[in-house]
Amino acid sequence: MNHLPLNRLLRIGLLYLCVHSDAFAQGGFLGIGGSEQTPSLTLAPAKIAVDVPTPVQGNNLALLLAQAGSGNSLSALKEEAAQKFSAQLRRELHSALEKFFADEEVPLAQQGGQLLLHSAVDISISKQLRDLKNAEKYELERGTLELSGDFHYRLESAAGANLRERRIDIADLRVREKYQVKTPHGGGEAEDSTDQAIEAALVEMVRRLVDRIEDQLEAEQLRELAAL
């Protein structure tokens, strides 16, 4: 039996690899294990509704009533706060989703993506009073902020077909933040940490939401859904 010299076999092998390198890149060795293209994704603007608490205790309410008497109604003050926190939540959610898909190496498109992700958050922020102290010079209110409501996302194809959707009860996320309001007797500006507590609660809520849905929106999942 004739045997080819080793150096000739090596040259033949290298030539084969060069000729078929494009095939390897597209379909893997012998067509096995080839990479698939991850579909592009467009993030639709999130629909956000936030219901914020109105202070109902002691001097803090008196200060708000004084503001209302100067031309602002309590409902207008509450609506202004709701708009502020809705805008913050929309930014936080969009940023968190952008970061997640960047980590997954999913190409994002401003419009016209192969997939379209809709999201909506409707939440209510409530105060749970733990302690109300009426000292000589001030009143101190301490409590906990709790979040409840609903989160919903829907993943669509470019043609509008519903590929996947999910709803999450926000109360199940168990987001809690402490707050306190220290109001001096006889007027003066209150030291109120409620806004900072709400901001921190929204950041934490978004983090927990993304943790809940990330395994359904990984790049591999998107490739499978796009192929349906």
Side-chain angles (χ1 to χ4, degrees):
M1 178 181 292
N2 294 325
H3 296 280
L4 291 174
L6 179 59
N7 60 349
R8 187 177 179 188
L9 286 173
L10 289 174
R11 287 198 298 271
I12 293 173
L14 289 173
L15 178 62
Y16 179 86
L17 288 174
C18 291
V19 170
H20 295 279
S21 59
D22 288 342
F24 290 165
Q26 296 295 326
F29 182 66
L30 298 179
I32 300 172
S35 62
E36 301 175 25
Q37 184 178 4
T38 302
S40 60
L41 177 75
T42 295
L43 294 173
K47 297 180 179 179
I48 305 291
V50 178
D51 182 36
V52 296
T54 300
V56 294
Q57 299 294 335
N59 291 334
N60 206 31
L61 178 58
L63 289 175
L64 275 183
L65 288 172
Q67 287 181 283
S70 66
N72 296 315
S73 67
L74 284 177
S75 60
L77 292 172
K78 185 174 181 177
E79 178 61 25
E80 182 181 350
Q83 290 179 2
K84 179 181 75 170
F85 292 119
S86 294
Q88 181 209 344
L89 179 53
R90 184 175 291 106
R91 291 192 302 269
E92 294 287 347
L93 182 59
H94 188 84
S95 177
L97 289 173
E98 276 191 328
K99 182 178 184 305
F100 167 71
F101 287 119
D103 291 342
E104 286 291 308
E105 299 183 349
V106 174
L108 294 178
Q110 291 293 327
Q111 56 184 2
Q114 294 166 274
L115 300 175
L116 178 62
L117 182 66
H118 296 276
S119 58
V121 188
D122 187 349
I123 67 170
S124 178
I125 304 170
S126 61
K127 282 185 172 183
Q128 305 300 321
L129 182 64
R130 293 188 296 111
D131 181 44
L132 184 62
K133 178 181 179 181
N134 196 359
E136 180 180 352
K137 295 183 178 182
Y138 61 86
E139 179 184 82
L140 181 62
E141 173 190 345
R142 290 183 293 192
T144 304
L145 295 176
E146 297 184 359
L147 274 57
S148 59
D150 181 77
F151 169 78
H152 174 242
Y153 82 77
R154 184 175 74 258
L155 186 68
E156 293 181 352
S157 69
N162 190 358
L163 301 177
R164 174 169 290 170
E165 64 181 316
R166 184 180 178 187
R167 291 186 180 273
I168 295 176
D169 186 345
I170 290 174
D172 290 343
L173 301 177
R174 299 185 179 278
V175 178
R176 307 282 190 274
E177 287 291 336
K178 293 181 180 179
Y179 76 92
Q180 76 171 31
V181 182
K182 186 176 181 180
T183 309
H185 291 307
E189 186 174 356
E191 299 175 12
D192 190 346
S193 68
T194 302
D195 280 9
Q196 293 91 330
I198 292 176
E199 292 171 1
L202 294 179
V203 170
E204 180 62 16
M205 183 195 73
V206 168
R207 186 188 69 80
R208 297 187 188 189
L209 280 175
V210 174
D211 283 348
R212 287 285 186 96
I213 66 175
E214 62 181 6
D215 60 334
Q216 304 164 29
L217 298 174
E218 294 173 343
E220 182 179 355
Q221 294 282 332
L222 298 183
R223 288 193 293 268
E224 292 177 358
L225 289 170
L228 295 177

